[in-house]
């Protein structure tokens, strides 16, 4: 009987070691997964800010274009050279701002695309890590069930041994 109990203790010991190994791997994966999830959240926030900034710039461009049209109409109606010069200066200032806003939008769209690519890569990595995590969690559950079975079997053998004595 003692040999039987020792054999079971050895079996349980092997499973406990394997269980600890899987738990360590799981912790490593979770540690690796944490910065990925954090960066994904940062990217999501950056994307929202960029989208908002693009919309604001596009709205301002629309306003500028409308203002330029009004200036052009006023220029046609201007009666003096002084009025024409003032309107032309305003128009040049608006055209300059328009070009700056268009350049800013192009820059924001490029950054937006870069963030989407980075987000996609991180999502793939997150998926792979989550899959590894799930596999290790399944192994842990399998080891726990096996240890529980062994413990029940030991208890049954001990109960049988006691009833025979």
């Amino acid at each position: 009987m003692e040999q039987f109990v020792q054999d079971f203790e050895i079996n349980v010991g092997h499973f406990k070691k394997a269980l600890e190994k899987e738990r360590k791997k799981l912790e490593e994966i979770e540690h690796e997964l944490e910065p990925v999830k954090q960066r994904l959240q940062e990217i999501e926030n950056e994307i929202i800010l960029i989208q908002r900034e693009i919309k604001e710039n596009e709205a301002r461009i629309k306003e500028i274009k409308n203002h330029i049209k009004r200036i052009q109409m006023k220029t046609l109606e201007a009666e003096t050279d002084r009025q024409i010069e003032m309107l032309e200066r305003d128009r040049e200032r608006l055209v300059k701002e328009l070009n700056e806003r268009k350049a800013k939008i192009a820059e924001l769209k490029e950054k937006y695309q870069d963030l989407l690519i980075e987000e996609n890569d991180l999502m793939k990595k997150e998926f792979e890590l989550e899959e590894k995590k799930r596999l290790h969690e399944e192994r842990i559950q399998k080891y726990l069930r096996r240890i529980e079975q062994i413990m029940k079997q030991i208890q049954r053998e001990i109960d049988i041994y006691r009833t025979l004595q």
Side-chain angles (χ1 to χ4, degrees):
M1 183 61 184
E2 288 179 29
Q3 182 63 37
F4 174 77
V5 172
Q6 287 176 351
D7 289 343
F8 274 116
E9 285 177 352
I10 291 171
N11 278 341
V12 169
H14 288 302
F15 280 109
K16 283 184 178 179
K17 285 179 186 177
L19 181 64
E20 285 305 311
K21 187 177 178 182
E22 289 299 322
R23 284 186 176 153
K24 284 181 183 179
K25 287 179 183 178
L26 186 61
E27 285 177 23
E28 290 172 6
I29 291 170
E30 287 174 347
H31 183 70
E32 192 177 342
L33 192 58
E34 187 178 320
V36 171
K37 286 185 175 187
Q38 198 171 23
R39 180 61 185 144
L40 279 170
Q41 185 62 44
E42 290 170 5
I43 288 173
E44 188 176 314
N45 292 337
E46 285 181 55
I47 286 174
I48 290 169
L49 291 174
I50 288 173
Q51 287 173 331
R52 185 177 304 134
E53 196 171 342
I54 287 173
K55 284 181 183 179
E56 290 170 0
N57 278 297
E58 287 173 342
R60 180 63 183 142
I61 284 175
K62 190 174 181 179
E63 290 173 10
I64 291 170
K65 285 180 177 180
N66 289 335
H67 198 214
I68 288 173
K69 286 179 186 177
R70 286 193 303 273
I71 287 175
Q72 288 172 338
M73 295 302 289
K74 286 181 182 180
T75 303
L76 293 174
E77 296 171 0
E79 296 177 359
T80 65
D81 287 342
R82 175 124 168 81
Q83 288 176 327
I84 292 173
E85 285 177 18
M86 286 177 46
L87 291 169
E88 277 300 312
R89 272 188 300 206
D90 286 347
R91 190 182 81 64
E92 287 174 12
R93 181 184 52 82
L94 289 171
V95 168
K96 182 180 176 187
E97 184 181 351
L98 179 69
N99 291 332
E100 288 171 358
R101 298 258 180 191
K102 284 181 178 179
K104 181 69 175 174
I105 287 176
E107 177 185 318
L108 289 170
K109 285 183 178 181
E110 185 176 323
K111 186 175 180 183
Y112 178 82
Q113 288 299 320
D114 292 344
L115 286 172
L116 286 179
I117 291 168
E118 183 181 356
E119 180 184 39
N120 190 34
D121 293 343
L122 286 173
M123 287 176 78
K124 285 179 186 176
K125 185 174 182 178
E126 178 188 32
F127 178 77
E128 291 169 1
L129 289 172
E130 289 287 349
E131 186 62 24
K132 283 183 184 178
K133 180 180 172 183
R134 186 187 62 76
L135 290 173
H136 287 291
E137 287 171 343
E138 286 177 1
R139 285 184 192 149
I140 288 171
Q141 291 304 314
K142 181 177 131 186
Y143 288 140
L144 287 173
R145 284 191 303 274
R146 185 65 184 131
I147 289 171
E148 187 179 325
Q149 289 173 352
I150 290 172
M151 297 303 284
K152 285 180 182 178
Q153 190 174 359
I154 289 173
Q155 189 59 48
R156 280 193 301 269
E157 292 295 327
I158 290 173
D159 291 344
I160 290 172
Y161 182 74
R162 284 185 184 160
T163 56
L164 293 177
Q165 283 187 339

